[in-house]
Amino acid sequence: MYFVFLRHQWKQFWRGRNLAGSIISKILLGFMALYFLLLAIGLGFFLKELITQTFPAKNPVFIFNGFIAYYFMVDFVFRIQFQELPTLSIVPYLHLPVRKNALVNFLNLRAAFSVFNFIPLLLFLPFCFTEIAGISGKFAAAMYAVVIFSLTFFNNYLVLYLKRKSVSKVWYLVVAIAVPAAFFALEYFKIISIAEGANWVLRSIAVHPLRGFIFLIVPMAIFIINSAYLRSNLYVEEISKKARKRAATDYPFLNRFGKTGELVALEIKLILRNKRTKSLVSFGLVFMFYGFIMFKEPDLVNDKFMIPIFAALFITGNVILGYGQLMFGWQGGQFDGLLANNIDFKTFIKAKFLLFNIFMTFVTLLSFLYAFISWKLIPIIFATYLFNIGFNTSLILYLASYRRQRIDLSRGAMFNRQGSGFSQVLAAIPMFVLPLIIFWPFYYLHKPFAGVAAIGLFGLAFLLTRNLWLNIITNKFAQQRYKIAEGFRE
């Protein structure tokens, strides 16, 4: 039966509408996968030399054990962003005498051949069977391999399960990103040591190798959970019921905004149900860690706020920078219907403002955790939040009226630069340069906190006069709507 599924998938690929683009995409992905696999093999065989050169005073096995833990945490985050869900058009098979378990097993087995699953095996196993085997014996090295194998497939099936669940409940994805972020934050502030914890566990397995079999329980459990979830959602009646349920899903906190809240709820569903939109938003959340690189303690102690302000602008506004600059294009396929519908243009634009507010408020509240680095980051983050929510949202929506390229939501996120261009870079310049221009005179006068306050007040002024800018943007959109629609049809 599995060969039948594969044959059908093969025919579906060659009979697809965008065959040339699909072939080019597959070739590029193949070369990239081959590059990373060859890189993993090279690093795997020279891992001991790299460790001893980088950490000459430390035990290579201790560094290796910690590296395993760090790798799989980063691997988990990257899988959430880049790993594709295995697909199969299930509905045509449901009225045929095809066992449901066969469909479920095909999807799960297909997911096992992800390139993400081969990289850790090629990277870590050479060190295990050369160094670990020489120190603790071949059986201990084999148990190391079992642990690596278990963690690899645990990440694989856990990410697939979370992605499927996040279609209807976005908090699954939020928690999935928040958990590794919390561990990295605890490590950063020296509350716990991930490397020491991993070393304690793996050294225990080196001394008592049979304990390695315990790790097999973890991937088996998540595999069973994944299979059960897929099996319970295979029936036609269940699929239609779920679809109706999702179509009627409401976000209670948006009810108070009336028609505007209803439009925001529809756009949130659009984001969660399409790969590229979900990829942009989730990648924006990943960029919250940008502060650990850019927020330097010496700059904050000496009140040198130029770089922290730039970083805070990016952290609190990168979601709207990526998603907002392609605004209206996301709904390009339904734009004619929106124009023909009885939707007030002002309400439509207000919904975009509200959506940006929700995104940035959520990200800003999470960003306040950087206060553990320095309390000075609180006014900086809050000031850039006001600037983004006041000035930048208005600027982005105004410039969006000039963009006429429709975004094809049916296309995947990998290597998809549709709608991206140099104009996006130009539009981002005032978003980041203007706050620094406002701040510079105060910094020159040795009044850095006054400069931060000026940035916040500038954004607050736009926020308080939002109705004025809303009317300007609405009028501009009304003037451009037919040109936008014409561009979307091309």
Side-chain angles (χ1 to χ4, degrees):
M1 197 68 225
Y2 300 140
F3 291 105
V4 174
F5 292 150
L6 287 172
R7 189 165 67 249
H8 289 174
Q9 294 276 282
W10 180 258
K11 290 180 179 179
Q12 182 182 9
F13 173 77
W14 286 104
R15 295 172 183 175
R17 288 181 299 174
N18 188 25
L19 178 61
S22 298
I23 291 174
I24 293 171
S25 175
K26 295 292 183 186
I27 292 172
L28 289 173
L29 285 172
F31 276 118
M32 180 173 282
L34 181 62
Y35 169 76
F36 281 113
L37 291 174
L38 291 174
L39 185 64
I41 293 172
L43 287 173
F45 282 103
F46 294 100
L47 193 57
K48 183 184 177 183
E49 287 74 11
L50 291 172
I51 291 173
T52 52
Q53 288 178 13
T54 310
F55 305 97
K58 293 192 175 182
N59 184 349
V61 175
F62 174 83
I63 300 299
F64 177 73
N65 291 342
F67 182 54
I68 290 175
Y70 290 122
Y71 174 86
F72 281 108
M73 291 182 69
V74 174
D75 172 72
F76 178 77
V77 175
F78 269 84
R79 283 175 185 265
I80 288 176
Q81 178 65 24
F82 295 112
Q83 185 172 350
E84 299 283 350
L85 284 169
T87 57
L88 175 68
S89 184
I90 292 171
V91 174
Y93 297 101
L94 295 180
H95 70 286
L96 299 174
V98 177
R99 291 183 297 111
K100 306 301 183 290
N101 283 340
L103 292 168
V104 170
N105 290 336
F106 177 79
L107 287 172
N108 280 331
L109 289 173
R110 186 177 172 186
F113 290 94
S114 169
V115 68
F116 285 100
N117 295 336
F118 292 100
I119 290 175
L121 301 180
L122 297 174
L123 180 61
F124 296 127
L125 293 188
F127 188 94
C128 292
F129 289 110
T130 55
E131 301 304 318
I132 302 297
I135 296 170
S136 303
K138 294 181 179 180
F139 188 47
M143 288 301 100
Y144 261 75
V146 168
V147 170
I148 292 165
F149 176 89
S150 301
L151 292 175
T152 299
F153 285 92
F154 172 73
N155 273 7
N156 181 69
Y157 290 108
L158 178 61
V159 166
L160 296 181
Y161 178 73
L162 291 173
K163 281 195 166 187
R164 287 175 177 131
K165 294 290 288 184
S166 67
V167 172
S168 57
K169 296 179 180 178
V170 69
W171 64 267
Y172 277 91
L173 202 59
V174 174
V175 172
I177 296 173
V179 170
F183 275 105
F184 280 121
L186 292 171
E187 172 84 16
Y188 182 83
F189 295 115
K190 302 187 184 329
I191 298 173
I192 65 170
S193 173
I194 298 171
E196 289 182 3
N199 186 63
W200 181 82
V201 172
L202 292 172
R203 290 301 296 168
S204 173
I205 291 172
V207 176
H208 306 284
L210 289 175
R211 294 180 182 178
F213 286 116
I214 298 173
F215 276 80
L216 288 173
I217 299 172
V218 180
M220 291 171 62
I222 194 62
F223 182 89
I224 293 170
I225 292 171
N226 216 345
S227 299
Y229 178 78
L230 282 172
R231 197 176 296 109
S232 66
N233 288 275
L234 278 182
Y235 297 95
V236 174
E237 296 83 358
E238 190 68 21
I239 290 171
S240 61
K241 184 174 74 174
K242 296 272 184 185
R244 288 196 301 271
K245 183 177 178 183
R246 285 198 296 267
T249 296
D250 195 12
Y251 299 93
F253 71 95
L254 293 174
N255 290 341
R256 70 188 71 177
F257 299 103
K259 189 68 175 178
T260 302
E262 184 180 332
L263 291 173
V264 172
L266 289 172
E267 188 142 3
I268 291 174
K269 292 173 187 177
L270 179 147
I271 292 169
L272 296 178
R273 293 176 184 177
N274 294 281
K275 292 178 181 178
R276 190 174 176 193
T277 51
K278 191 159 55 175
S279 173
L280 273 174
V281 174
S282 60
F283 203 61
L285 294 175
V286 171
F287 266 106
M288 286 187 59
F289 301 114
Y290 187 60
F292 287 115
I293 301 172
M294 300 300 290
F295 293 144
K296 302 295 184 181
E297 194 171 351
D299 292 339
L300 296 168
V301 170
N302 297 316
D303 294 341
K304 296 180 179 179
F305 293 160
M306 295 291 282
I307 293 177
I309 287 172
F310 178 86
L313 282 165
F314 185 78
I315 290 169
T316 58
N318 73 84
V319 173
I320 64 164
L321 179 65
Y323 181 81
Q325 288 212 58
L326 302 177
M327 192 56 72
F328 307 139
W330 301 116
Q331 294 147 325
Q334 300 82 33
F335 195 76
D336 287 328
L338 287 171
L339 295 182
N341 210 326
N342 187 25
I343 297 175
D344 179 58
F345 292 152
K346 189 171 183 179
T347 303
F348 182 64
I349 301 298
K350 281 175 68 177
K352 306 299 182 185
F353 271 114
L354 179 58
L355 180 71
F356 288 165
N357 290 358
I358 293 170
F359 279 155
M360 285 190 291
T361 301
F362 174 74
V363 171
T364 301
L365 290 174
L366 292 178
S367 300
F368 281 143
L369 294 173
Y370 281 118
F372 285 107
I373 297 176
S374 172
W375 67 268
K376 295 177 183 179
L377 289 172
I378 294 179
I380 292 174
I381 290 172
F382 186 66
T384 54
Y385 164 72
L386 290 175
F387 186 89
N388 277 322
I389 210 171
F391 175 77
N392 281 344
T393 52
S394 302
L395 177 66
I396 282 176
L397 286 174
Y398 184 82
L399 294 176
S401 300
Y402 290 94
R403 301 186 67 86
R404 301 169 191 171
Q405 184 173 0
R406 178 173 65 90
I407 307 300
D408 185 1
L409 292 172
S410 64
R411 293 174 60 181
M414 292 289 286
F415 299 110
N416 185 357
R417 308 308 304 164
Q418 188 183 24
S420 303
F422 188 65
S423 60
Q424 279 187 288
V425 178
L426 292 176
I429 291 174
M431 296 174 62
F432 291 101
V433 173
L434 182 57
L436 299 179
I437 293 174
I438 295 171
F439 176 76
W440 175 253
F442 296 94
Y443 178 73
Y444 183 76
L445 296 171
H446 305 290
K447 302 289 184 182
F449 284 99
V452 171
I455 293 171
L457 289 173
F458 185 88
L460 184 61
F462 271 80
L463 190 60
L464 294 176
T465 56
R466 173 163 287 185
N467 279 335
L468 170 64
W469 309 115
L470 179 61
N471 290 331
I472 292 173
I473 295 167
T474 302
N475 292 334
K476 190 64 182 178
F477 176 78
Q479 294 171 10
Q480 296 284 111
R481 66 187 187 277
Y482 296 119
K483 293 180 180 179
I484 296 172
E486 184 181 356
F488 287 166
R489 295 189 201 107
E490 293 179 0

